[in-house]
Amino acid sequence: QVQVVESGGGLVQAGGSLRLSCTASGLTFDDYAMGWFRQAPGKEREGVSCISWSGGSTYYADSVKGRFTISRDNAKNTLYLQMNSLKPEDTAMYYCAVKFSAYCRVGLWERSFYNAWGQGTQVTVSS
């Protein structure tokens, strides 16, 4: 059974930084691309970033480009999201998910192309 567990969320002031982690088990981690999504209250869940199986390709939503960095450590079955220059509009529950493919491009932000969602970690950015 595939499980993913996110951690690292918290309360931070605008302009601050956080590093989210996501540990996966029950799968061959480096067979799959991994993604980060977020959902703010009253809004749809949206894609934030995706990384291919090797880490060689990364994708970002326009809203976070230049501020967030996705990475992975396949030896540790762990995915990361470094978030810098945080803004109040980044406030959301952040989720990681395993993609059905080793690559991100097809169905990049389509939730149906991902499975094994975690429970999420809350990020709150105060102004």
Side-chain angles (χ1 to χ4, degrees):
Q1 183 179 357
V2 177
Q3 289 187 320
V4 293
V5 178
E6 304 95 338
S7 62
L11 173 63
V12 63
Q13 289 188 329
S17 298
L18 282 174
R19 188 195 198 199
L20 306 184
S21 298
C22 168
T23 302
S25 60
L27 78 169
T28 303
F29 187 70
D30 57 7
D31 277 352
Y32 301 98
M34 296 289 295
W36 285 101
F37 287 71
R38 66 185 182 186
Q39 187 167 17
K43 294 190 176 181
E44 293 288 317
R45 192 171 298 189
E46 63 176 359
V48 174
S49 187
C50 184
I51 187 167
S52 64
W53 70 277
S54 66
S57 297
T58 57
Y59 299 80
Y60 298 93
D62 288 343
S63 58
V64 307
K65 210 171 285 184
R67 300 187 298 121
F68 290 11
T69 302
I70 191 171
S71 62
R72 63 191 294 163
D73 185 337
N74 287 343
K76 296 182 178 179
N77 280 21
T78 302
L79 174 73
Y80 303 100
L81 186 67
Q82 178 67 44
M83 305 186 296
N84 298 330
S85 303
L86 282 161
K87 304 175 181 180
E89 50 264 44
D90 294 318
T91 295
M93 186 72 79
Y94 283 71
Y95 301 89
C96 76
V98 180
K99 203 166 189 294
F100 282 116
S101 167
Y103 300 95
C104 295
R105 186 174 298 179
V106 177
L108 176 58
W109 303 132
E110 296 293 327
R111 290 172 58 183
S112 60
F113 281 74
Y114 294 81
N115 67 355
W117 295 83
Q119 293 299 306
T121 186
Q122 178 68 40
V123 172
T124 303
V125 185
S126 62
S127 56

